Amino acid sequence: MPRRTAATLASSGEVLRLIRTGEAVTRADIGRVTGLSRPAVQLRVGELLERGLVVERDDAPSTGGRPPVRLEFNAAGGVVLVAALGASRTRVAVCDLAGRELDGREFAMDVEEGPDVVLPLLMDTWDELLGDRPRSTIRGVGMGVPATVEFAQGRTESARVMASWTGVVIPPIIRTRFPVPVLVDNDVNVLAIGEHRGVYPDLGDLMFVKISTRIGAGVIAGGGILRGALGAAGEIGHIPVLDGGGVLCRCGNTGCVDSVASGTALLRDLRAAGKDVKTIADVTALVRAGDAETMATVREAGRRIGEVLAGAVNILNPSVVVLGGDVAEAFGPLVSSIREVVYRRSTALATRRLHIEPSRLGAGAGISGCAVMVLDHVLSPEAVDETMPVSSPRVPSL
């Protein structure tokens, strides 16, 4: 890797990046890596200390004489507010600047009640979780919602699904209570971000598939989330399957995999077959009891999902497909059917090193992903520099 120069590492935000990544942990390191003069280094470190983003430690090893002061990213220097919304359950949390959850709450909530009900409830919950923490320590807000999201604007675009949310631009609503950067993304995208950063940070290509009330995917490509031109990437739930039977989907089309293999579809089909099932837990009980009809229905759902994923694997060639959501977590036969079809229907090269694994973080991936998403933004060199005093020089000093 070529040596970075003062021309590319001049700002306080870039210095913070070096400290966060461990590339430079003393003032001397910063000067050596960037080529900045001592006064320039002192200026930038002083700005970061003043903002509470960096702290000094005097426990660095010494090679003789006075030990150097070590600089450390201050994860306690602020908080971010995060919320991972599902169709029926929501997790809300306050995290530190390292993404660690400080306080959180999970509760049942129907997002179909609409933004006028859901968003005030979220903001009230954040207020309660913040407790005595100063509101000035809030650095940003990250949210995942079960809808297609135009990421740049934070606008939900669900014309037929979650109709009451269609066209709602969420960030300005949140900023009326919390005037900080607000980032909103699709719920499965934040799950993919959380699982990637928390479990597979060294892999550049991953697909997270959520199989729950609905079916969707989040794609990591080249180390970053793939949103597409307007945020619609990963909507695999609305890919039709060969034998969808003309079942009407929420999106208005027929035979989508979401309409024939999601948790909602499983409950519908089993009730039609005379099974007394109200929740996925009831289906799980029948599977564990060895009910043949239920087992066959679950396996068929897995086969249909596998059919769609085989095509996605051929297009994207991920290193790992992570299966999450309460349906995937509950049913081994469904996961086995998915694996069987993907390995049979995808190309030999695409599956040569492919792993299909259950989510290791579970529902926690949503909170983790929301935190990573907003922290990557508010702690980026550009965002940090924008918060510095206007009088601070932006031109590198040698």
Side-chain angles (χ1 to χ4, degrees):
M1 179 182 293
R3 181 179 182 272
R4 291 184 172 90
T5 66
T8 58
L9 279 183
S11 70
S12 298
E14 291 287 1
V15 170
L16 178 64
R17 185 190 66 78
L18 289 173
I19 296 169
R20 285 185 70 204
T21 60
E23 291 180 65
V25 296
T26 67
R27 288 171 173 82
D29 289 343
I30 294 168
R32 182 172 61 255
V33 172
T34 66
L36 291 172
S37 65
R38 284 188 180 182
V41 172
Q42 285 287 76
L43 173 64
R44 285 142 181 81
V45 171
E47 288 179 332
L48 297 173
L49 289 167
E50 185 177 349
R51 290 295 315 282
L53 293 171
V54 167
V55 292
E56 295 180 313
R57 307 290 186 197
D58 58 6
D59 55 355
S62 174
T63 57
R66 183 178 178 181
V69 174
R70 183 166 56 89
L71 299 169
E72 187 176 281
F73 174 62
N74 184 22
V79 297
V80 291
L81 311 179
V82 296
L85 281 69
S88 58
R89 296 199 66 79
T90 289
R91 300 191 77 197
V92 181
V94 175
C95 297
D96 68 12
L97 298 187
R100 291 184 291 260
E101 184 174 328
L102 302 175
D103 288 292
R105 189 173 300 170
E106 182 174 352
F107 47 87
M109 180 174 67
D110 184 0
V111 293
E112 298 285 4
E113 292 185 22
D116 292 342
V117 173
V118 171
L119 295 180
L121 176 57
L122 288 183
M123 292 187 283
D124 289 345
T125 304
W126 280 324
D127 265 327
E128 293 170 11
L129 294 175
L130 281 165
D132 296 332
R133 297 181 183 90
R135 293 333 185 235
S136 60
T137 63
I138 302 171
R139 305 279 184 172
V141 174
M143 295 176 57
V145 298
T148 303
V149 176
E150 186 181 345
F151 181 74
Q153 301 296 323
R155 185 199 315 272
T156 53
E157 299 288 350
S158 298
R160 297 181 180 91
V161 182
M162 288 175 60
S164 61
W165 290 80
T166 300
V168 175
V169 184
I170 295 175
I173 300 171
I174 301 298
R175 283 197 292 265
T176 60
R177 181 94 63 99
F178 304 106
V180 294
V182 179
L183 278 73
V184 182
D185 205 347
N186 172 270
D187 62 333
V188 194
N189 280 352
V190 298
L191 287 166
I193 292 169
E195 195 84 22
H196 176 245
R197 191 69 62 89
V199 182
Y200 302 100
D202 297 327
L203 295 182
D205 299 278
L206 170 151
M207 180 163 59
F208 188 104
V209 181
K210 181 181 180 183
I211 309 169
S212 185
T213 306
R214 299 166 186 168
I215 296 173
V219 179
I220 301 291
I225 191 71
L226 178 65
R227 295 189 174 94
L230 291 175
E235 292 285 349
I236 65 166
H238 303 294
I239 295 175
V241 294
L242 292 176
D243 57 350
V247 177
L248 182 65
C249 182
R250 296 182 186 89
C251 72
N253 292 321
T254 58
C256 297
V257 69
D258 186 273
S259 69
V260 296
S262 64
T264 302
L266 281 174
L267 290 171
R268 179 199 64 219
D269 292 348
L270 288 170
R271 287 167 187 158
K275 304 296 181 182
D276 183 19
V277 289
K278 297 181 176 63
T279 67
I280 291 300
D282 296 332
V283 182
T284 303
L286 289 174
V287 169
R288 288 175 177 168
D291 183 86
E293 191 171 14
T294 302
M295 294 276 282
T297 301
V298 168
R299 287 197 180 98
E300 180 63 13
R303 187 193 63 77
R304 287 166 162 167
I305 296 168
E307 177 185 323
V308 169
L309 291 187
V313 165
N314 283 342
I315 294 170
L316 298 169
N317 188 203
S319 297
V320 61
V321 173
V322 179
L323 302 177
D326 54 359
V327 174
E329 292 165 4
F331 303 129
L334 179 136
V335 173
S336 297
S337 294
I338 291 173
R339 283 197 178 106
E340 177 188 345
V341 174
V342 169
Y343 285 117
R344 186 176 74 244
R345 298 285 298 274
S346 299
T347 65
L349 183 58
T351 56
R352 181 180 298 171
R353 297 181 180 175
L354 175 69
H355 295 275
I356 301 176
E357 304 287 349
S359 169
R360 295 189 197 175
L361 299 182
I367 289 296
S368 175
C370 287
V372 168
M373 175 178 67
V374 67
L375 287 169
D376 279 354
H377 174 76
V378 300
L379 295 178
S380 68
E382 297 79 11
V384 170
D385 290 339
E386 286 182 5
T387 68
M388 293 299 169
V390 177
S391 58
S392 297
R394 293 287 177 265
V395 179
S397 300
L398 292 173

